[in-house]
Amino acid sequence: MTRHLTLHLIVLLSVGALLTACNRQNANDNNNAAPSTAPAGSVLEGKLLLTGSSTAAPLMEEIANRYELLHPNVRISIEMGGAERGINDARDGIADIGMVSRLVTDDDRYLKGFPVARDGAGLITHKSNPVTTLTSSQISDIFRGRIKNWKKVGGFDTPIMVIKREEGRGTIVMFMHHFNMTYSEMKAEKILGENSEVIEAVAAHSNAISLMSVIVAENEIRAQVPIKLVSVDGVAATHASILSGDYPFARPLTLVTRGLPGGLAKNLIEFSLSPQVADIIEKMGFVPYQE
């Protein structure tokens, strides 16, 4: 069994256990005569705030729109700001649910994570760049500033312009973990946050390279934006390679809460994990986490 498949199975079991725990907690609350947040036959109502990952935000906006159609008395607000904001806001009680483009780790104590979809963290360059694939060693050396010219990796004789993501973004956290690299070790000419900013910068500079959601990049490429995804160790950065588990930078899009969720937050999370939104996840190019 591959590492990716093992991780996939572990997280699936964890999600199932967490949802079961939520149901048990609600049952215990009912036994203790605490009022239920949504008795059978009642109308769901209230407000929810979700903050965090700019990759997960568009997906959750679509899911929230469908949820609000089913529950007209519910209003869901979604704000971006990066995975670290999602973690912090959920932990501090600022947001009901945080959106994170990575797994929840032991460092995220007091938080519960529920993966809803899978994506990949890709490397993008300008469309005109002749480099189509990079090895892990080359990628590490580029972002550590050891390789500074595209000619060293089969490209034009021109300086490499590294654009790194803001600290705390899901893509950068996953990248640093994979390459055992600290944020300060990454050398860069620019630091940008939102996906749109990175796409615009790479499209404007023929010698640029940066990190980007594979699905977001594929959508931009279909829209004729002059960027491309670079293969990693010969594995193409595509929806198919993420689905198969072959792509080395696959990651989950995760909803996080402070402790086990209850009430409206729990209901929305269960909805986001259900077959009722599988078509939304697939339409937007992501891979449903539970298949």
Side-chain angles (χ1 to χ4, degrees):
M1 182 178 291
T2 66
R3 179 175 65 85
H4 299 295
L5 182 54
T6 301
L7 178 60
H8 177 62
L9 291 174
I10 289 173
V11 175
L12 282 177
L13 290 173
S14 299
V15 170
L18 286 168
L19 289 176
T20 300
C22 287
N23 291 330
R24 288 175 178 168
Q25 181 64 49
N26 286 348
N28 290 337
D29 291 344
N30 289 337
N31 290 336
N32 291 327
S36 171
T37 55
S42 68
V43 176
L44 285 172
E45 59 183 4
K47 297 179 180 180
L48 288 174
L49 172 63
L50 281 66
T51 68
S53 165
S54 60
T55 298
L59 171 63
M60 290 311 301
E61 284 175 356
E62 291 291 323
I63 290 175
N65 288 340
R66 180 171 293 180
Y67 188 86
E68 288 178 342
L69 285 175
L70 295 172
H71 306 288
N73 294 325
V74 174
R75 290 295 174 265
I76 302 171
S77 300
I78 296 177
E79 299 177 5
M80 296 187 290
E84 198 65 23
R85 180 187 177 186
I87 289 286
N88 292 336
D89 285 358
R91 182 196 61 214
D92 297 339
I94 296 171
D96 300 288
I97 299 172
M99 302 176 293
V100 183
S101 48
R102 61 175 174 84
L103 284 172
V104 174
T105 69
D106 291 340
D107 294 332
D108 306 316
R109 58 182 60 87
Y110 310 123
L111 295 178
K112 301 299 181 184
F114 303 89
V116 298
R118 282 178 288 165
D119 183 24
L123 291 162
I124 59 170
T125 64
H126 194 274
K127 182 179 180 180
S128 64
N129 193 323
V131 175
T132 59
T133 186
L134 291 168
T135 66
S136 290
S137 177
Q138 288 171 332
I139 295 167
S140 176
D141 285 346
I142 287 171
F143 278 83
R144 282 187 163 97
R146 297 169 183 165
I147 295 178
K148 299 181 179 181
N149 194 297
W150 280 111
K151 188 176 181 180
K152 296 288 187 180
V153 291
F156 297 125
D157 185 6
T158 183
I160 298 174
M161 178 184 179
V162 175
I163 301 172
K164 70 177 179 180
R165 306 300 295 266
E166 287 177 342
E167 193 168 8
R169 298 278 171 170
T171 46
I172 204 75
V173 171
M174 182 179 184
F175 185 86
M176 291 189 301
H177 178 76
H178 185 86
F179 287 103
N180 192 27
M181 186 186 306
T182 65
Y183 192 75
S184 61
E185 286 179 302
M186 299 179 68
K187 311 304 179 186
E189 282 67 47
K190 284 188 176 184
I191 301 175
L192 296 173
E194 302 298 342
N195 288 334
S196 58
E197 296 175 321
V198 178
I199 292 287
E200 183 178 355
V202 174
H205 296 88
S206 61
N207 60 335
I209 186 170
S210 192
L211 297 167
M212 174 60 54
S213 156
V214 169
I215 304 305
V216 171
E218 285 187 326
N219 290 338
E220 295 293 329
I221 291 167
R222 282 192 287 269
Q224 304 301 310
V225 176
I227 63 169
K228 69 178 183 179
L229 284 155
V230 177
S231 297
V232 177
D233 292 325
V235 180
T238 63
H239 179 280
S241 64
I242 295 169
L243 179 61
S244 68
D246 294 329
Y247 188 65
F249 296 152
R251 60 180 181 169
L253 302 183
T254 306
L255 301 179
V256 299
T257 57
R258 184 174 66 178
L260 290 172
L264 197 55
K266 174 178 179 288
N267 195 273
L268 176 63
I269 289 172
E270 290 178 339
F271 181 75
S272 302
L273 292 169
S274 75
Q276 290 175 276
V277 301
D279 63 314
I280 294 177
I281 294 172
E282 292 171 353
K283 179 190 73 173
M284 298 193 68
F286 296 106
V287 178
Y289 205 90
Q290 301 187 66
E291 298 166 329

